Amino acid sequence: MAVEKMLKFVTVGRDMPQKRQADDRRHDFLEIYGDFAQPKAAEQASRCSQCGVPYCQSHCPVHHNIPDWLRMTAEGRLLEAYEIAQAANNFPEFTGRICPQDRLCEGNCVIEQSGHGTVTIGSVERYIADNAWNEGWVKPIRPAHERAESVGIIGAGPAGLACADTLRRVGVQVTVYDRYDRAGGLLTYGIPGFKLEKDVVMRRIDHLRDGGVEFVLNCNVGEDLSFDAIRGRHDAVLIATGVYRSREIEADGAEARGVVRAIDYLTASNKKQFGDEVREFDSGELDASGKRVVVIGGGDTAMDCVRTAIRQGASSVKCLYRRDRANMPGSQREVANAEEEGVEFMWLSAPEGFEGNAVSGVRVQRMRLGAPDATGRRSPEPMGDVVLEGADLVVKALGFEPEPLPSLWGTPGLEVTRWGTVRAEFGSGRTSLDGVFAAGDIVRGASLVVWAIRDGREAAAAILGYLGQSATATPVAAE
């Protein structure tokens, strides 16, 4: 029975190797191990050494009490494990799936450091959270007391959702405004479904909506509704828009058809997963099927793109990165997964230009690492060689920058940094405008979901202080 479940894989898009299918669901104890999921999770959790200095916890942005919920899991006390896990993290079902544990908790596990292989903390976290949903332990949000104060949150990504969840539990009235037709931000449209299933995201959105959070979707602030109007409706406002403006390539032919932005490519793929009609995908423009795909970039977004292209049935997938593997900003686990799936990495390579009005190739400049820059990181320098790589679809995954909110929203008093991010007080998110706070990527730049969750929680605490009461002073209905 257990062996049959371990070997049962589901094909996504085209036929894919079983080894990769296992990787797609490597954290899913409930699916892979079935009735044996609990002992398997307990087995991994029991490997925790309960060390005196829990580096796993100190390297977790939300400072999860990891040793304690691992111990509860090892002892079969799963409800208590879940209660401990969700006390520091509003959405453990997300972070258990998409956190880069290899460079956070798991990478700093003392067992890993001693050479015996890390405790699979992310796998256990996901199991705890999924089991809690299945057992009905995730109760509706029902505040002990409703409050009259109202907070408007602009952006339905992880920072905005974490803030909304925290505020609703103490009875604050919360309205979330978002430009997209579904809430979730990058959780919904940026991260591929093979890493974060969309029904998992929608389940949490429904939970928040059932708990009294109001969502105003398809609302582009500055066009459909002014920022001043939102401020006028609420006692406090949180800006949690994220960063969505793509960095561009300055190279000959970069405007050719078939050279597309990563956010457009991933959004189209995720919309199709919802069953939506997506003109750019249905026309083939944003569909990698049968195409030679080149992805430019070395971060986690680039890894999402190459792995999505594989699943769409691309004839070949190559990733260009201007530095070497050791200097790649993305998760090494993700790189290994991509290589296993058939992605070819071209290290020390950068686009020099593009061929064709409809792209047919990328002129690739070979690079080398030169002297360190002001940050101490060695700068890539071009060498003489340029080679032509055939391509039918080129995806630009060079990172994201903030949109110019003060000009878009007509709020010159909203101070921003020289990078365009909103200037906010560390630990509280207070901005230059009275009663306006900011959290997540719009403050720290493109970062991790778990950091956004932490920022959203801290902003909620600061907003409660601004409203005149601390987060701990109001009774909260237990989940």
Side-chain angles (χ1 to χ4, degrees):
M1 175 79 172
V3 173
E4 290 176 358
K5 289 189 176 183
M6 289 175 67
L7 296 179
K8 182 181 178 183
F9 303 110
V10 180
T11 300
V12 180
R14 64 173 183 153
D15 291 338
M16 296 185 289
Q18 285 189 343
K19 190 174 184 183
R20 177 159 62 77
Q21 292 293 309
D23 173 72
D24 281 353
R25 291 162 42 181
R26 68 186 182 278
H27 293 316
D28 200 338
F29 282 114
L30 292 173
E31 278 291 326
I32 295 176
Y33 295 106
D35 296 338
F36 295 86
Q38 182 171 337
K40 185 65 180 179
E43 173 191 319
Q44 267 300 313
S46 67
R47 297 182 61 236
C48 177
S49 66
Q50 296 292 314
C51 56
V53 184
Y55 294 108
C56 58
Q57 183 174 354
S58 63
H59 284 82
C60 172
V62 295
H63 299 309
H64 250 321
N65 192 346
I66 295 170
D68 277 3
W69 55 254
L70 285 175
R71 179 166 57 86
M72 295 297 103
T73 303
E75 295 173 2
R77 298 157 65 181
L78 297 179
L79 174 56
E80 293 168 89
Y82 171 70
E83 289 173 340
I84 295 170
Q86 67 89 41
N89 180 2
N90 302 69
F91 314 126
E93 71 271 27
F94 298 162
T95 53
R97 285 169 162 82
I98 61 176
C99 260
Q101 290 97 359
D102 58 324
R103 62 182 195 252
L104 295 174
C105 55
E106 292 181 11
N108 291 279
C109 171
V110 295
I111 296 177
E112 168 73 6
Q113 297 297 321
S114 64
H116 296 287
T118 186
V119 176
T120 57
I121 297 167
S123 302
V124 178
E125 180 183 24
R126 173 174 175 171
Y127 169 69
I128 291 170
D130 287 354
N131 185 69
W133 282 98
N134 291 341
E135 294 293 330
W137 297 339
V138 184
K139 302 299 182 183
I141 300 171
R142 298 291 183 263
H145 303 283
E146 291 290 348
R147 296 173 56 161
E149 298 98 331
S150 172
V151 174
I153 297 175
I154 305 173
L161 295 179
C163 184
D165 182 69
T166 305
L167 291 175
R168 270 306 296 151
R169 291 179 186 279
V170 294
V172 174
Q173 309 308 307
V174 178
T175 301
V176 180
Y177 303 86
D178 196 85
R179 70 177 71 180
Y180 289 105
D181 58 341
R182 293 181 179 90
L186 64 86
L187 299 169
T188 299
Y189 287 135
I191 298 173
F194 60 83
K195 289 174 62 175
L196 178 59
E197 305 93 319
K198 300 312 161 189
D199 61 324
V200 171
V201 180
M202 293 300 106
R203 178 180 62 188
R204 180 58 78 169
I205 300 298
D206 290 341
H207 181 258
L208 291 169
R209 186 178 284 114
D210 178 66
V213 176
E214 179 185 359
F215 288 92
V216 179
L217 303 176
N218 292 307
C219 179
N220 199 340
V221 176
E223 295 180 7
D224 304 312
L225 187 65
S226 72
F227 179 70
D228 286 342
I230 292 176
R231 288 188 75 187
R233 290 181 178 183
H234 303 284
D235 299 296
V237 173
L238 175 73
I239 301 171
T241 55
V243 290
Y244 283 92
R245 187 170 65 172
S246 300
R247 294 194 180 113
E248 295 297 333
I249 295 173
E250 296 183 4
D252 180 49
E255 301 304 317
R257 293 194 311 275
V259 181
V260 304
R261 303 186 307 165
I263 189 64
D264 296 332
Y265 177 65
L266 293 173
T267 298
S269 177
N270 282 315
K271 280 181 172 287
K272 290 303 295 184
Q273 191 169 357
F274 279 109
D276 295 353
E277 290 185 10
V278 183
R279 181 178 57 82
E280 295 85 355
F281 184 94
D282 297 336
S283 69
E285 180 183 348
L286 295 177
D287 182 4
S289 178
K291 295 180 179 178
R292 299 167 298 171
V293 176
V294 173
V295 175
I296 302 169
D300 289 337
T301 298
M303 297 306 97
D304 290 344
C305 290
V306 296
R307 299 184 71 194
T308 296
I310 288 285
R311 283 156 179 77
Q312 290 178 349
S315 62
S316 66
V317 181
K318 296 181 179 181
C319 181
L320 304 185
Y321 182 55
R322 60 182 183 161
R323 291 185 169 92
D324 58 12
R325 182 172 190 147
N327 285 280
M328 197 171 192
S331 166
Q332 290 297 318
R333 180 181 290 171
E334 284 287 293
V335 175
N337 290 338
E339 286 180 324
E340 188 177 273
E341 294 168 8
V343 175
E344 179 184 344
F345 285 85
M346 300 180 66
W347 309 111
L348 293 167
S349 301
E352 188 267 342
F354 302 89
E355 295 290 322
N357 292 324
V359 69
S360 60
V362 183
R363 297 194 301 274
V364 179
Q365 172 77 63
R366 301 298 299 168
M367 310 293 285
R368 65 184 177 191
L369 294 180
D373 59 17
T375 68
R377 196 178 185 196
R378 295 178 66 189
S379 301
E381 300 174 346
M383 297 173 63
D385 298 337
V386 176
V387 298
L388 182 65
E389 286 290 337
D392 308 303
L393 176 64
V394 177
V395 183
K396 300 175 292 184
L398 302 173
F400 300 97
E401 297 174 339
E403 296 167 296
L405 296 186
S407 59
L408 288 176
W409 292 354
T411 53
L414 179 65
E415 294 182 4
V416 297
T417 68
R418 62 190 178 96
W419 299 281
T421 53
V422 173
R423 188 182 300 278
E425 182 181 73
F426 178 77
S428 74
R430 290 177 182 270
T431 72
S432 56
L433 299 177
D434 181 53
V436 177
F437 299 75
D441 288 0
I442 194 58
V443 175
R444 64 173 64 244
S447 188
L448 302 176
V449 166
V450 68
W451 277 112
I453 292 172
R454 171 175 169 168
D455 291 348
R457 291 169 62 91
E458 289 183 341
I463 289 170
L464 287 168
Y466 175 79
L467 296 177
Q469 190 168 345
S470 71
T472 58
T474 303
V476 183
E479 181 172 279

